[in-house]
Amino acid sequence: MSEDLVGRRRVGGQIRREIMQLILDRRLRPGSPLPTESELMDSLGVSRNSVREALKALQALDIVEIRHGYGTYVGQASLTPLVDGLTFRTLSQVDDDTHALGEILQVREVLEEGLIRRVAETLEDTELDGLEAIIERMEEKGRAGEPFPEIDREFHEALYVSLGNELVPQLLAAFWNVFHRVAGVRGWARDPAPAVTARRHREILTALRARDVTHAQRAMADHFRGIEARAWQGTLGVK
């Protein structure tokens, strides 16, 4: 790699960092307009092309949003780039993508085992009743032998609402989306035993109603071990 190319990459990275620092220093919120290209050129002392390259790179990270004909705005800084990166990482493991997917599931398991400890002793009865209603829908689907991925997702998102942490549902959704993107691309069949999945969620709720933190964590671990077993062993069923 030439020294000139290395230098341009280093400068590009510096410009991106300076634009991000500008956003932070001015306390700009998502949706707020950024300075114009000309203003950025003047304040950063760089060329128009350098500014444009930096903005395109930041757009890929959802840090800025370029609205052609209107200007550039602060982005949502969502976890979409993380989802895309993890999905690509998993699918790029051509010879062992089930192993890579199993690693993602392990990370999510660790996350949820820690989170459920936080909520196990603080969930209100009304919140537990809401989880009960979700599980009853799972059980109905389970008796009919019908998979219920969206209801499953709803349960896990509702479980941690009381934490008031906006990052939690975003992280859970990120891991969920990676799993289902990979499953869709690989043509893996859905959970072959919906009734078993419903029962595992029932065990989680039973422990939560009893305010039994240890049992709640164990029930959550059992739920994920079942998913991991299918991922690691390839029993999701490649068509």
Side-chain angles (χ1 to χ4, degrees), residues 26-40:
R26 298 189 181 184
R27 299 182 180 275
L28 300 179
R29 307 295 297 171
S32 299
L34 262 66
T36 65
E37 287 184 356
S38 296
E39 290 171 336
L40 288 173

Side-chain angles (χ1 to χ4, degrees), residues 64-163:
V64 306
E65 179 187 356
I66 300 173
R67 303 177 191 173
H68 296 289
Y70 294 93
T72 305
Y73 299 79
V74 179
Q76 298 298 319
S78 70
L79 298 186
T80 299
L82 172 65
V83 172
D84 292 341
L86 286 176
T87 300
F88 178 80
R89 177 186 183 277
T90 304
L91 291 173
S92 67
Q93 308 298 314
V94 179
D95 297 327
D96 199 6
D97 54 9
T98 54
H99 179 89
L101 190 61
E103 291 177 334
I104 290 173
L105 287 169
Q106 283 186 332
V107 173
R108 183 180 162 192
E109 177 189 343
V110 170
L111 174 64
E112 291 216 44
E113 282 190 52
L115 290 172
I116 200 169
R117 184 177 188 86
R118 291 285 186 105
V119 300
E121 296 179 329
T122 60
L123 284 170
E124 301 289 342
D125 288 341
T126 53
E127 294 166 328
L128 292 169
D129 291 342
L131 294 171
E132 175 76 38
I134 295 173
I135 290 179
E136 287 176 355
R137 287 157 54 205
M138 287 184 181
E139 291 170 337
E140 182 179 354
K141 291 284 188 180
R143 287 190 292 271
E146 299 175 3
F148 44 82
E150 291 306 319
I151 302 176
D152 194 337
R153 177 174 183 165
E154 182 183 349
F155 175 87
H156 288 269
E157 291 182 351
L159 185 54
Y160 308 113
V161 169
S162 63
L163 292 176

